[in-house]
Amino acid sequence: MLNVRFFQKILTPILFPISMLYLAIVNVRNFLYDIGFFKTTKVDGVKIISIGNIKTGGTGKTPLCIGISNYLNTLGFKTAIITNAYKAKQKSTLIVSDGSNIFYKTPIVNDETYMLAKKTHSIIVSTKDRLSAIESLNQFKPEYIIFDDGLQYRKIAKDLEVCIIDSERFYLPFGYLRDSKKSLKRCQKIVCFDGDCEIKSEITIKGFFDINGAFDKPKSVFVFCSIGDPQKFLISIKTLGIKINGFKCFKDHYYYTKKDIELLRSLKHQTGSEVLLTTYKDFVKIEQPGIVYLDIEAKLDYCALLKGVV
């Protein structure tokens, strides 16, 4: 993350004008939707909740989707989650889980999709075409459909638009904003994990786990991950008082090879670390003994967040 910021600063004379052009294109697209030039379809018989953000990278969308799904399930509602098939081997519409059984895992579907299937009782659909995905859900008759990363998808009308925000200021490629800040005006609820906003949330630690279940907090670790914001993960480990002997970062959504795992096990041994530690998003792509993951969840007032649609 720091290296990216460094190169962005060096290339400012080139990147900043491009980011202004990018913003102009985004604003034109949104304007065409606002005036009805691009059509938006209303889906009857189901309520659609969109969870999104205006920034690239890890902002907490997936933990929030999991939290909303599990909250609705506890109230007795049947829910479905539609995810983007980004970085998935299979791009066509797939029913990944019927809420009880998981039919596909990584790399057929991406890491976040498989994680949602593992951590919820929702029907999970992976797709590049959300209209097609909604049609595939007719057989299940869900009462709620959650769009994971749905803010920029405007072809379908939403009953609740939720946006997670943070302090990013600049647009791609100079910064990390991928949508206009004006888009926040069409969001009914704003959530933040840092700073002040309408609905405050926090990421809390559920504990340490391996393939066999709960695991005692380790004293020293070699950390690896392939997530949007690895620095947040490192900070969370440090706050728990765990010694970090080494760290290896892979690009977001990276699929680990056998050689990668062998290298990581070697680095753990070389650094004298007690365990290899990663995120649950990474663990679902490996699911092997000898690797520990730190599990988290999003804590917030779900009743307030879903007021008006539940």
Side-chain angles (χ1 to χ4, degrees), residues 35-290:
I35 65 174
F37 183 83
F38 291 151
K39 300 301 180 184
T40 299
T41 301
K42 179 72 173 74
V43 180
D44 296 323
V46 64
K47 292 183 179 179
I48 295 180
I49 300 170
S50 170
I51 308 301
N53 60 10
I54 60 174
K55 178 190 171 184
T56 61
T59 56
K61 294 189 304 295
T62 302
L64 188 56
C65 285
I66 292 168
I68 291 173
S69 169
N70 290 337
Y71 176 78
L72 290 172
N73 288 158
T74 61
L75 296 179
F77 294 111
K78 180 183 285 189
T79 63
I81 302 175
I82 296 178
T83 72
N84 196 315
Y86 177 73
K87 292 286 187 178
K89 187 175 181 179
Q90 179 60 263
K91 302 296 185 182
S92 61
T93 299
L94 291 177
I95 302 295
V96 180
S97 171
D98 61 5
S100 300
N101 305 291
I102 299 175
F103 308 115
Y104 300 98
K105 59 188 297 185
T106 58
I108 301 301
V109 297
N110 67 32
D111 45 15
E112 291 171 349
T113 301
Y114 183 42
M115 183 169 71
L116 286 165
K118 297 270 285 184
K119 293 185 73 93
T120 74
H121 293 291
S122 284
I123 303 140
I124 309 295
V125 185
S126 172
T127 189
K128 293 295 286 185
D129 181 356
R130 300 197 193 213
L131 276 172
S132 171
I134 289 176
E135 291 175 4
S136 73
L137 286 168
N138 289 337
Q139 60 182 305
F140 298 102
K141 295 180 172 53
E143 295 158 281
Y144 288 89
I145 295 176
I146 302 168
F147 282 175
D148 182 15
D149 197 13
L151 180 61
Q152 287 74 38
Y153 190 82
R154 300 193 61 182
K155 292 182 180 180
I156 298 175
K158 292 85 171 254
D159 295 279
L160 178 64
E161 190 87 72
V162 179
C163 184
I164 304 171
I165 61 169
D166 64 15
S167 58
E168 179 62 40
R169 297 172 54 199
F170 300 108
Y171 293 88
L172 291 170
F174 182 65
Y176 293 98
L177 291 178
R178 58 173 171 159
D179 201 349
S180 171
K181 294 178 182 179
K182 295 178 182 178
S183 295
L184 298 177
K185 294 180 180 179
R186 67 174 191 272
C187 299
Q188 288 84 26
K189 297 292 172 66
I190 303 295
V191 175
C192 62
F193 290 93
D194 297 300
D196 294 318
C197 67
E198 178 186 2
I199 298 177
K200 285 279 293 179
S201 180
E202 63 176 334
I203 295 294
T204 61
I205 307 297
K206 292 186 68 176
F208 296 88
F209 302 85
D210 65 3
I211 199 166
N212 297 312
F215 192 92
D216 290 338
K217 186 177 84 169
K219 293 181 173 62
S220 66
V221 295
F222 186 93
V223 181
F224 71 96
C225 65
S226 61
I227 59 177
D229 193 344
Q231 293 302 320
K232 285 184 179 179
F233 182 48
L234 286 173
I235 291 170
S236 66
I237 297 169
K238 290 177 181 177
T239 58
L240 294 172
I242 299 171
K243 183 182 179 184
I244 300 175
N245 289 343
F247 173 57
K248 186 167 181 60
C249 180
F250 298 82
K251 64 182 180 180
D252 198 11
H253 299 287
Y254 183 80
Y255 287 101
Y256 299 98
T257 65
K258 183 179 179 180
K259 286 186 177 181
D260 292 328
I261 303 304
E262 289 174 353
L263 171 63
L264 290 168
R265 293 188 190 281
S266 174
L267 291 171
K268 166 188 170 287
H269 178 72
Q270 291 173 22
T271 57
S273 302
E274 183 181 343
V275 298
L276 282 170
L277 182 65
T278 191
T279 69
Y280 189 58
K281 176 182 168 181
D282 290 285
F283 183 78
V284 297
K285 293 179 286 189
I286 304 170
E287 295 184 319
Q288 292 183 18

